[in-house]
Amino acid sequence: MRYVNDKELARDLMHDGFIKIYTNISQYAGNGSFEGWMKRVFVTTALEFLRKKDALKLSIPVDEYNELPNETEVTALSHLSAEELMGCITKLPPGYRTVFNLFAIEGFTHKEIAEMLQISESTSKTQFIRARKQLQKNVQSLLKM
């Protein structure tokens, strides 16, 4: 659900991921945790789908993007449940949501994200900045309710 905003599609992608794990279990070399290997398979499955759907068309590089995001107070986040915060994330456009998930949640670097998504590192940074700004707006509008 972090990569696609549709429960049925997320289930299909999870199913596809399990099939990949089952058919490629011999590729797990025992280096690192099995959980980490599985996580990578699921993330890759979601990214492949998004790439096929052209949902990852990303825009301008960060050096052409002059607008800096406003900071949302950290204390405001303490008033939201994890479910509400995930709801705010799922409202992000697919490109923003993908880069945000990969960087902020999965812990990949912008260089790694650029390689995975076949974009420039500066485009990854731009998308993260825009995602964060949009997420701040989503959180602020939720808090005003």
Side-chain angles (χ1 to χ4, degrees), residues 80-124:
L80 296 177
S81 69
E83 186 175 301
E84 290 171 319
L85 186 55
M86 281 305 298
C88 290
I89 292 171
T90 60
K91 290 179 184 175
L92 294 172
Y96 292 5
R97 183 174 58 238
T98 301
V99 171
F100 182 83
N101 281 320
L102 289 170
F103 184 78
I105 297 174
E106 305 289 348
F108 291 104
T109 65
H110 286 294
K111 182 178 181 179
E112 293 169 323
I113 294 168
E115 290 170 7
M116 282 189 278
L117 302 181
Q118 299 170 353
I119 59 173
S120 71
E121 192 173 339
S122 62
T123 299
S124 176

Side-chain angles (χ1 to χ4, degrees), residues 2-97:
R2 286 194 314 224
Y3 292 95
V4 294
N5 195 13
D6 179 307
K7 284 186 181 186
E8 288 303 314
L9 182 55
R11 285 183 185 136
D12 288 346
L13 291 173
M14 185 172 71
H15 178 262
D16 293 349
F18 275 116
I19 289 173
K20 285 181 181 181
I21 289 168
Y22 179 75
T23 57
N24 298 304
I25 193 79
S26 62
Q27 291 182 5
Y28 174 65
N31 300 335
S33 73
F34 182 67
E35 180 183 323
W37 180 77
M38 285 179 54
K39 181 179 176 181
R40 183 73 173 211
V41 170
F42 285 116
V43 168
T44 302
T45 301
L47 294 179
E48 287 170 352
F49 170 80
L50 292 171
R51 210 175 287 121
K52 284 180 192 172
K53 289 293 184 187
D54 217 16
L56 298 177
K57 276 226 184 229
L58 303 173
S59 57
I60 62 173
V62 74
D63 50 353
E64 295 176 24
Y65 186 72
N66 297 323
E67 198 172 334
L68 295 175
N70 296 327
E71 293 296 323
T72 300
E73 290 185 36
V74 176
T75 56
L77 295 177
S78 64
H79 298 291
L80 296 177
S81 69
E83 186 175 301
E84 290 171 319
L85 186 55
M86 281 305 298
C88 290
I89 292 171
T90 60
K91 290 179 184 175
L92 294 172
Y96 292 5
R97 183 174 58 238

